[in-house]
Each structure stands twice: as structure tokens, then as C-alpha cells.
Amino acid sequence: MADLTVLTGVETRDLSKLDEYRAIGGYQALDQARDMERQAIIDTISEASLRGRGGAGFPMGRKLSLVPAPDKRSGPAYVVANADESEPGAFKDREIMRRVPHRFIEGCLIAAQAIAADAVVVYIRGEYLTEYEVLSAAVEEARAAGIFGGTDVIVHRGAGAYICGEESALLESLEGDRGQPRPRPPFPPVAGLYMQPTLINNVQTIASVPAIFQLGVEAYKKLGVESAPGTVVYSLSGNVNRPGNYELPLGATLRELIFEHGHGVAEGRALKAIIPGGSSVPVFTPDQLDVKLDFDSVQAAGSYLGSAAIIVVDDRACMVQLALRAEKFYMHESCGKCTPCREGTRWLVQLLEKIEAGDGTQDDLDLVVEVCDRIEGKSLCALGDFAVWCVGSYVEKFRDEFQRHIDEGGCPYHGESSIEGVLAPSDQHTHSAMAEVPA
Amino acid sequence: MTPENAATFRDEVARIKARYPSQRSAIMAALRLAQERHDGWLPPKALVEVADAVGVTPAHVEAVASFYDMYNLAPVGRHIVEVCTNLSCALVGAQQVVEAFEEELGVHAGETTDDGKVTFRLVECAGGCGYAPVVIVDGRYKEPTRPEDVPAVLEQVRNGARG
Amino acid sequence: MSAPELVTVTIDGVEVQVPKGTGLVETAAAAGVEIPVFCYEPRLGPPIGACRMCLVEVEGMPKLQAGCTMSATDGLVVRTAAASEKAADGQDATLEFILVNHPLDCPVCDKGGECPLQDLTFRWGPGNTRMRFPKRTMDKPIPVSPLIALDRERCILCYRCTRFSSDVAEDGQLVARNRGAQSVIATFEDEPYRGKFSGNVIELCPVGALTSTTYRFEARPWEIQNVPSVCGMCPVGCNIAATTREGRVRRILSRNHPEVDGGWLCDKGRFAYSHLAAPDRVVDPLLRRARRYDELSWDEAIDEAVRMLQAAQGRIVTALSGSETVELAYALGKIVRQGLGSDCAVLPEEVSNELDAVRAPLSRIGQADVVVILGDEPVAERAPIVDLWVRLARRNGAEILHEVDDARIRSSERPVLIWSGEGAGGNEVARLATSFGCPGYFLPRTANGRGAADAWAAASDGEAADPDPIGLLIISGDEAAADPNVRAMAEQAEAVLAIAMFRRPLVGLADLVLPGTSYLERDGTYVNLEGRLQRLRRASIPPAPDELAVLARIGAAVGVELSAYPSLVFEEVSAIAYGGRPYGEVGEEAPLPEPVPPEAVDQVSDTRHVPDGQRADGGLRLVTYKPLFSGPAVERVPELEFQLPEPDIELAPDDARQLGILNGQEVTVRSNGTSVQLRARLVEDLAVGAARVAESFAAGLEGRVEVTP
Ligand SMILES: Cc1cc2nc3c(=O)[nH]c(=O)nc-3n(C[C@H](O)[C@H](O)[C@H](O)COP(=O)(O)O)c2cc1C
Ligand code: SF4
Ligand code: FES
């Protein structure tokens, strides 16, 4: 597989070991970068048009250049790696940290070099215990080998909160507060961690950096599509025969991914829906199988590539139940800071429960759509949007199925749906003794 | 904690604080540490210990602890078994796995067995969607776990030591 | 400072020019447009954009923006709900979401009628609810403290209260617990919110979630009157509005004076008002006959008072409390000094007029880049609001020093000096400040000790001679009555005449007691620690005649002409002491006169020394202080009991280390024979070599103390 840039070498070697990684040219990109002017490093990454893999697809080069130069800032600057990977459907950063930790560390150090950062902080989600151990071991190995130079590297564990993947909430959490998003501006490159200039990038974005220097910008840009060069690790899951991570050049079609790499829908069932970028993004229908999986193409088709997490849904799943389960997630993860998200997600859960139970009225169904409209674009961070893009698109694309719940006074699947009665954490008494479970 | 333990706890937290540019950043690690030292959960006195060690008010510590799912503010069993029921896991039968555990353990999700050995609960997407359904035992992923694997998993839990 | 760049912003078609960076909410206000808000409150620090009430449409931005988090930039074009469909819908949405779980108990809610949520819903909100599910219910109300009740169902999670606790008072006690829809406001393990400023969260709360236990169900907004006055509980003189119903004070609110209090009050000023109705209040003149006191008619009482005054044949000593208005102190002075030739007084404290040369608004402290705090007593115990100004300065990056670091002060741009403790009435700090050419503040012990001294001085320029034996001791006010020195004099004196509000601790001490009044029951003026003359207004009818009226009658009897009207008496004092400033000019938001040039003030001779910071052997220098939560008023307010100080001894970290003492550790404190068990608390603001204990726990301790683990 010549086309790998992030997971290169994993099939033949244990790259969690420093010498193994060095054996395939590891940390040479860093040496290269250290011989370059800061600006030259930034230019290289800009020319490669590396776009963020964490969800928004923002060009990393532009973010780098937003960080004030050392002579234009007082106090330290930081690189923060977003390893909180919590988007339902996504499990790529986990694999990167477990299998190529050094490539990720190397990327961090190159970024640090580019902005003359004093320290790198990796915020890894608390549930990733094994990955934390592997990454920490690699960090210590690299530290011992004197690879860090003047830069410190800190690995910080989260403790179970999806919102901490949102960059400003992540910073709050890192500073020892509740992980609630900050209003912006100021943006992290100007005032981030401890209100100091901070570059925040996703694990995979950072892990993609060394290849740019090793292959050279030209060769790198030959991969993927023009608007988004390089490769991305697609996380494939759901009702598919061969789920898993597949690193491919950007722009592979859904069809290739699901039917070639994933060997088709499980148990030969019919394909019903595809979620192209993690549970947060609008859903696709089978007629959209030929959409290319890169940022712009997916967006042109009405959704987002997000974290490139593709969830395959076959014809046994009730879309109302799917919407309800998804919304319970957002209700549970809403940080509680802003009104529309905190109150709206809970209201949507109540409405969807009612509809799924067969007690829903036409008004309730219309209200679902309106509540979605009233949340979208009005919350403090994008979680509010995520919480309605999924449900909103389910209703839009599968309206008749929602309608039948109203008309037939019950679920048309009559208890036969593949996700029938699935419980969510918010259905049980939570960890907190005093928290009451929402009705 | 005994006074000696308390002292070593303060020292360990001091070491953690030293790692960060700002001491408050040590709260999350300190909470995890305190939880390990208090049978897997955070009684009020543990929160006070963390507050003293980090140098913030107990109220702030409780505010932080109650924000995150992995800090337990109520007692838990010696082992914690968790099942992810988010979309990808749900689509491939997570609920059947949940029911299998409830069956075997005789408790509902969110409860602890009478012998105090196992707390069984649900979690949101654990990042194992490609290897679903995902079960987590004392922090270690068991992927995938099907209903028929449940007895074996619990067997391990019962004889296995913590973590 | 250089003039800030002006930018032009268009709001709903109206162009305004404001300094670059002005908040959008203020910018809109300048254009005559209101942007409604809940969570936005500049006094709490940077905006958090949480409630989303302020959504506006901004040209060039696809999404609605939270107006509260934006600031004025040149060419910015904004449309608010008044001019934009989209913004209007956004606000309607926000209100609908807020109301989804907000209970409909407005009829029994204390906030009803003065509730921002009600008002904004009325103007911008949806006419009906589409919420058909049972609303979230929780236990209500739960006590946040004996002073504050919390109704979590009403809470809209604007985080104003928690931000006040963490970012203004910096006590970090009121926080948000849990996440998402389950978030609630809470204290640690539901312990009471102890702190000097907790009551401010009641005023900050935009709904009826945080209410005052002492005001709960006391009145409806349309039945009340808010009387603008000044707090008489400490020398800061916070501006207050006393809410009255049927002539009785029901609550105290802040009446934001930006230079004095910034809109905050301490809990003493906010909650102590119920002492007006204390059971042992003196309401009739009392005359001691052998073992008991008889009530007298006012005519009898005045005859008796005059008789006592004349019987003393000039051997009169007058003990003032510092709670008298300028007018009362002057009236007393005029009677005994001009009328009876008795110039001897026990003033509550000396306050140096050298301070006039370095006076500046308290708000200056908040803008300082170096704050030097001298003296041994905690600022918050003497003048609580000053502590908030100091914290604001620190948050703005100021350095807080506890000794005079010449170089540091001279190299700074905006230094200020504060003296908290005994210190020659402030001439020490006045001289230091003069030498640095910066503002200097002295924190007196009494609310109007300064004004009382001015007035006494203005009453005559006769020379004081100590009478021996004392023919008559006049005790003016309850604070003087509680003062050990005054009580000692009373033992010696042949007769004692007291004017006081309460029977305790006068009973057994005074021969004649005339009913006194409180600052909430008087018209007149106070001089605060800045040297600012402020107007007191009668908020509630005292249970006895006005003191000034009584004094006027006594004056007449001894041939001293006195008006019964504060305004006229003030003119008289002002002509002598305040450059003839007219009463009217003191006004609603009193101005602070310019500092007088140093050479113009006559110097007081004696000065004392700055604490040397030496740890002399033989233990630590004991410093005792009068806690904020103490005194005749506080003692009569049961709700404030939980605020009384803890049995702590405060130590400087250096000393503690030397003595091997940890924060929170139980220690033994010894001095000449006495030994007390106290809990050690390490504090940064204490001079090395000092050990600080609240009066109430220092019984028997004095001089140097030995502290051992
Ligand atoms: C609710 C929410 C959750 C997010 N979770 C993650 C996450 O788990 N990992 C991540 O890299 N980015 C996440 N993001 C995106 C980050 O805010 C940020 O855009 C990203 O880390 C930037 O890195 P990139 O430019 O390399 O993509 C999330 C955003 C939102 C609004
Ligand atoms: S209690 Fe009041 S001030 Fe505090 S968060 Fe709730 S609504 Fe805001
Ligand atoms: S006032 Fe702007 S979000 Fe609350």
C-alpha cells in the first residue's frame, strides 16, 4: 500500500518502538524541519494544503500563520493535540496513537518548531487507557533519546466528556475547569491555553505532517484531491461486513469504501442509510453512494466529511429509534452552558420518545423540525448544530417513516427493529448521586 | 486515608502540579488518583483532599468532578463493566449484550451487584465502533463482545484482580 | 492616558461613534437601541455568551451572533430584533427554550414584578408555550445559607452567581454542579455559602432563583418604596436603596456608586437592617431609680437631662461612637462646648486631615498597577468593599505588596497605598502617599468617625481639659457604650447620660437613657473613608422622636440655638468645616472634592512606625481585630450568626514554616499564662512576625504570643 502517509509501515513493523520507527526514516522530517526557518516550515505545510482532519477541514497552514511570531508575543506559546476523539463512529486517532505514536509525536514537534512553541500538550480522552500507556511510553522513549530539544511534551488525560473535543472546551478542561466552550474571538492561535498563543490540531492532522516533509510537497499533493490532498483514515462501522479503519487518499467514493474495502452490507441486507462523517452530520441515502469522500464533495452533497467516520445502516433499523438514540447522546453530552443546546436537546428527546412510543401527534412531528431550526446556528458551539443535523436530516430524508409512527400510532417495525429498545447512559441513574434522570 | 497516605497523596499531586504551567491543570489527574485511593469513587473527603492538594476550593473540585462521566460521585463495585450503546454498537446488537449482562448479573444498567463486586453501566461511544459491540472491563476494551461471550467475560472479571 | 480611537458602528440604521472596543451592548445603548441580556454583566468580567438572549444579525456573518461577546469595530453593521426578522426569531427561540423548564410560579415568586425574565418575555417572548411535557422538577427552595434560598427550577443557568463567587469575591464557593440539562447551582456538599459578599448573588440573579430569606414573601414590588441612602455599617459608605413597606425597611439593595462601591454590598450592610426591630430596643426615655429603670415622659426626660448637664458644672466628658451623623455630633458638641463649656470628648478614633491631600475615589484602587497594603488588620474586616477593589486590581494584573518597596512603587504608573489598622489616624499613610504623589487610603474603624470629629471640632475652638472627677459622662451611641474605656469612665463618673438604641449593654451603666436611632432612621450626612460627604435619608420611622429634635430642645434649655432640621444644621457645620458646601449639593451620587494641596493641611505631630516585619524572639506579635460580623447591629441579627469568624489564628507562611505548622492545623497559642486552642490559617497578606486573631477568640492573650503545633 504505497498510498499510506499516516499508517505507513504498520503492517510490517511495531512502530510504537523508537528504533523501529527510526529504521523507516522516523524523525528525519523533524531534523529537516529543525534546519528550516520557521516561516519555511509553515509555507511547506500551507503549500501541501493540509486540511484539518478533526472535523472542520480548516487548513493547518493558515492556522499556523495566525499564531503571532515570537517577537510579537509575550509569554509562552503552545501546541495542543486534540486526542479526545469522541465523535460516534470515529476510532482513527486511537489507532494512530497506538500504532504510530512516534509519527504523531514527530508531527507535534514539527508544529512546535513552526511556531516556536514552549510545550506540546496532548489531550487524550480518558477512556483510551491502552493508547495512553502506549503513547506515554513512546513520549518517554523519545524524551530519553533527547529528541524533544527544548520543547516539553505533556500527555493529559480527559475524564469522559464529548464536549472536551471542542477546542475551546478542551482548553478550559486543560486549565482545570469544567469543559465548557469559550466565546470566540479571541481564537486559540491568539489567546488559547492559559490565554497564550496556541495551535490546536487533531491527532491525524498532526500525524500527517511528517509525510509532507518526507515525500515532499509535490509527491504529497499527488495523493487525494486538489482541494484536499493527502490521505485520511476512514473509520468504517455499522452494518458492514468488514468494519475498521482504512487509510485511503481523500476522495474515495462511499461505494468503494463500503463495497470494496468493507465487503458490502452485512448479512446481505439492503442498504438504508449512510452517515458519512460521524453521527453529527446529515445522513445520506443509498442513491448517494457515488459521492466522493473529501471535504468539498461531501459538503456539495449536503453533508460533512467531519471526522471521516462512516456509519452504515441497513434496512432493519428504525430511523426514529436511531434519531432518538443519537439525540440522547447529545443531550447527555451537552455541556449545559448555553440555553438552546441544553434545553433543546432534552426537548427533542422527549418529543422523539413520544413519537416512537406511538403517542406522537402531527404537531409533535412538526415541532421536532421547528425545535431543530431553533437550535441550529444559535448555540455557543457547534454541538448544538450537531444535535440537530442528525435528527433534522433523518426526518427530512425518511419523513414517511416518521409519519407512519404518527399515522399508525406506533413503530412500523413492531419490535423488530435492529436497535429496538436500545438503552443510553441517560436512561440509567448516572454516576452522580444527585443528578435526576430527565423524564 | 491515614495521615501518611494523605502526605504521599499531597506529594504525588505536587509532582503532577510541577508538570503543568498552571497548578489548577492538575485537578483532573488528582481526581483520578484520589478515586483510585478511595475504592473507585470520590467521597466528599476525597474531594476535600484534592482541593487542599491542588489549592482550590472543594466546591470547585466538586464542580469539575461532577462534569465528567469517569469520576464516580457515588460508590461503585470492585469492578466496572461498561457497554457502549451508541449508534455503531447499537446497530450490531449492543442491546442484546446489555440484556445478557443484566441477565447474568441480576442488576439493571447503572446498578451494582449485591456482593458489591460489579458495577454494570452503559457508556456513550467509546471509540471502538469498528470492533462493535464494545465492552469495557475496568478500563480495558473487550472488542467485540457478543451476547454469547458475556458469561466468559464475567468469569474473568470475577477471578481477575482489579484493572 | 491618550484618547481612544473612535469607530463608527451602525445599529438598526442608526450610526454611532464610540471608542474602539466598546461592548456591543453599550454601543447599541449609545444608539438608543436595547440589546436584551441575561448572562451579560460587565462587572463579572469577560462575557461568556451563555444565555443567547442577545442574538443579533451582523452584516457579513451568516449566523446570528451573541451581541454581548462582540465589541465595536469600525464599519460594523448590526441589526437587532427590532430591525431583523432573523434576530427577532432568534430571541424568541432563546426565550422559548428558557421557558421550557421554567416554572409558572410567578404569582408566588419574590422576583415577580421586578424580574428581567418576565419583562423580556413580555416584550420579545412567545405568547404561548408549545411544551407539553412535565417540566423538570427539583426540591425547592433549598437553603444556600441562612440568608439565601435557591430555587433550582427557576434557575436559567446564566452563571452570574457562580461568576460572582469565583471571579469577583473570589471565594469559589457557589458553583455549577453536573452537566447539560442536569446542571444545578450548588455549594460544596450543600454547606452554607459563607462569605462577606454572598448577598450580591441575590441581586445578580435575573430570575427568582436566588432570593433573600429575610425578604421572602415580605412585599410585592408595587407596594414598596426604595429610599436612596447610604450604608452606616462601615467607613466605606456604600450607596444603598432601602426597600420599605408600611414605613418599615424590608431589604437593602445596592445603589451602584461607581466610584465608591461599584454596585456591591457586603452581607453586613445588606442584612443587618433587622436590628431596627430588636426586642431590646429603647423606645422610651429610661431613668434609673435604685435597682430598676422607669420610663419617663419626654418632658420629664428633657428636664432631667438638662438638670444633669447643669449639675455637672462643666465637668462633662462626651464619648462619641462615630455612628452619629455630622449634624448630631455637631449638635452635641455645640450644646456641651458652647452651652456648658465642656470641651472634653472621647472621639471614636483619630482621622488625620492630612488624608485630604491624598484622597481619591476608591475605584482608583481597581485601576492601580501596584497596591501597597500596610497595617495588620484584614482589609475585608475593616472596609469590606475595599477588599473587592483590591481583588479587581489584582485580576487586572496589579501587584499587591505588604511593605513599602520604594523602587517598585516609584517605577509603577498607578500605585495606591492602603492602611488597614491602627496608624496615627492615617497621617502615616498620608505622608507616605504624599511622598510618592499617589492616592492614600486609611481604613477607620467607624462609619462616620471622620465626620463626627469634623463636627466636634467645628462646634467650638475651646481647649479641652480633662475633668477630674468626671461630673457627667455622655455616652452617644451603642458602640461607645460597648467600648471598655468608656465603660471604665462610666464607673468613675458621678452621673451617666446615654443616647442609645439598645438596653444591652447600657443597663446598670447609665442613669438616664434617651432612645437613639439608626442610620436608616435619620436624615443627615456621613463622611466616608475617602472623605466623601454623603446623604443619609430616613427610610423608616424610628420608634422614638428624632434625636436632632430632642437635642434642639435640650439646647434651647441651656441657651444654645440649634435647628431641628439636618439641612440647617449642616449649613452651619459646612460653613466652618466644609467650605460652605450646600446640603443640596451633597446629592444622590455624592462627588468627592479634589485633594487639597499638601502644604494647605496642618500637620499632626505624632506619627507611628510602619510595622518593621521583624520576627523578634519570644514569639509572634499578637494582632487582634474587630471582625466585620460583630457589633451591636450584627449581634441582633440571628441570620448572620453563621457568618461569625472561626476560631482561627492567621500566620504568615514564612513564620508557619519556621514553626513547622501546616495550614488548617490545630495549634496552641500562649501568652503570659493564658493558653488557647486555635486553628492555624496561612495568609499572604500578613507581615512576618505577626499573628492575627479575631478579638472574640483572643480573650486573655496579649503582647507576644507563642504558637506551637
Ligand atoms: C462538539 C464538538 C466536538 C469535537 N470533537 C472533536 C474531537 O473529538 N477531536 C477533534 O480533533 N476535533 C473535535 N472537534 C473539532 C475541534 O473543535 C477543532 O476544530 C479541531 O480539533 C481542530 O483540529 P483540526 O484543524 O486539525 O481538525 C469537535 C468540535 C465540536 C464542536
Ligand atoms: S441561580 Fe440565577 S444567577 Fe445563578 S445561574 Fe441560575 S439564573 Fe443565573
Ligand atoms: S447576554 Fe449574550 S449570551 Fe447571555
Side-chain angles (χ1 to χ4, degrees), chain C residues 502-530:
Chain C
F502 307 112
R503 280 172 169 264
R504 259 181 316 107
L506 271 171
V507 172
L509 202 66
D511 302 294
L512 176 64
V513 184
L514 299 178
T517 57
S518 144
Y519 64 98
L520 290 164
E521 298 166 332
R522 298 171 179 159
D523 281 296
T525 54
Y526 267 20
V527 179
N528 81 344
L529 66 87
E530 303 163 285

Side-chain angles (χ1 to χ4, degrees), chain C residues 630-674:
Chain C
S630 63
V634 171
E635 286 158 14
R636 288 167 172 82
V637 182
E639 292 85 356
L640 282 173
E641 226 177 290
F642 81 105
Q643 293 275 31
L644 298 183
E646 306 256 298
D648 291 338
I649 179 165
E650 295 175 285
L651 304 169
D654 287 2
D655 294 330
R657 219 170 292 114
Q658 288 237 345
L659 299 162
I661 293 170
L662 293 173
N663 194 20
Q665 192 174 344
E666 288 294 325
V667 296
T668 314
V669 186
R670 287 196 198 72
S671 85
N672 50 28
T674 341

Side-chain angles (χ1 to χ4, degrees), chain A residues 160-161 178 180 183 185 331-340 342-344 346-347 350-351 354 367 370-371 374-375 377-380 385 430 432 434-439, chain C residues 47-52 55 63-64 69 89-90 92-94 96-98 100-101 130-138 152 156-157 159 176-184:
Chain A
R178 296 156 59 84
Q180 296 188 316
M331 173 182 76
H332 181 72
E333 300 296 345
S334 170
C335 81
K337 184 172 182 177
C338 80
T339 311
R342 182 185 65 242
E343 303 298 329
R346 184 167 179 276
W347 197 2
Q350 291 172 313
L351 287 164
K354 191 175 171 201
L367 197 49
E370 283 195 43
V371 171
R374 302 207 113 184
I375 296 175
K378 299 180 191 66
S379 52
L380 174 59
D385 299 330
T430 72
S432 164
M434 72 87 56
E436 39 83 74
V437 181
Chain C
I48 62 169
C51 75
R52 317 307 284 176
L55 292 173
K63 283 184 175 187
L64 291 173
T69 63
D89 179 64
D92 186 80
T94 296
E96 179 170 37
F97 286 132
I98 287 177
V100 160
N101 281 296
R130 300 184 287 179
M131 168 75 174
R132 298 269 174 278
F133 301 96
K135 290 177 186 261
R136 194 186 302 119
T137 59
M138 301 184 211
R152 287 173 172 157
I156 63 169
L157 289 167
Y159 302 97
R177 202 192 281 163
N178 302 334
R179 193 174 70 204
Q182 299 177 349
S183 308
V184 293

Side-chain angles (χ1 to χ4, degrees), chain A residues 52-56 58 63 82 84-87 93 162-163 165-167 200-202 205 381-383 386:
Chain A
R53 310 293 198 237
F58 190 86
K63 221 184 259 185
N82 188 339
D84 193 55
E85 184 168 64
S86 310
E87 175 70 10
D93 298 342
Y162 170 63
I163 188 62
E166 194 282 333
E167 57 187 25
I200 302 188
N201 277 107
N202 165 259
T205 317
C381 83
L383 191 143
F386 295 175

Side-chain angles (χ1 to χ4, degrees), chain B residues 88-111:
Chain B
S88 303
C89 287
L91 286 166
V92 296
Q95 182 57 24
Q96 287 66 39
V97 178
V98 170
E99 281 155 19
F101 274 112
E102 291 184 331
E103 177 71 18
E104 285 284 322
L105 291 166
V107 298
H108 292 297
E111 295 174 354

Side-chain angles (χ1 to χ4, degrees), chain C residues 373-435:
Chain C
I373 302 173
L374 302 167
D376 294 322
E377 298 193 23
V379 169
E381 305 288 352
R382 278 198 161 222
I385 295 299
V386 175
D387 179 61
L388 291 186
W389 286 119
V390 173
R391 290 176 187 280
L392 175 62
R394 198 190 328 85
R395 287 195 301 278
N396 292 344
E399 189 178 349
I400 312 297
L401 304 176
H402 290 285
E403 75 275 286
V404 182
D405 176 339
D406 231 79
R408 186 72 197 82
I409 297 173
R410 297 202 185 279
S411 65
S412 64
E413 281 174 18
R414 301 176 307 280
V416 301
L417 269 54
I418 300 172
W419 194 290
S420 181
E422 302 316 305
N427 57 39
E428 191 76 55
V429 68
R431 286 173 191 191
L432 277 168
T434 311
S435 70

Side-chain angles (χ1 to χ4, degrees), chain B residues 12-130:
Chain B
E12 285 199 46
V13 173
R15 269 194 294 284
I16 299 169
K17 287 200 282 190
R19 267 191 242 138
Y20 291 94
S22 155
Q23 308 212 327
R24 279 164 69 98
S25 292
I27 290 180
M28 293 183 78
L31 279 167
R32 189 179 298 105
L33 199 61
Q35 183 160 287
E36 286 163 9
R37 291 162 158 264
H38 288 88
D39 306 318
W41 72 293
L42 292 161
K45 70 172 181 339
L47 299 175
V48 174
E49 286 160 8
V50 171
D52 292 344
V54 177
V56 296
T57 64
H60 177 73
V61 172
E62 187 170 29
V64 171
S66 61
F67 185 85
Y68 300 93
D69 287 342
M70 292 176 74
Y71 299 124
N72 305 315
L73 295 176
V76 292
R78 201 130 92 282
H79 301 281
I80 298 182
V81 175
E82 296 164 312
V83 180
C84 168
T85 65
N86 207 299
L87 303 192
S88 303
C89 287
L91 286 166
V92 296
Q95 182 57 24
Q96 287 66 39
V97 178
V98 170
E99 281 155 19
F101 274 112
E102 291 184 331
E103 177 71 18
E104 285 284 322
L105 291 166
V107 298
H108 292 297
E111 295 174 354
T112 302
T113 54
D114 297 339
D115 60 7
K117 264 206 163 149
V118 181
T119 290
F120 173 64
R121 66 188 181 199
L122 312 178
V123 293
E124 290 295 3
C125 183
C129 320

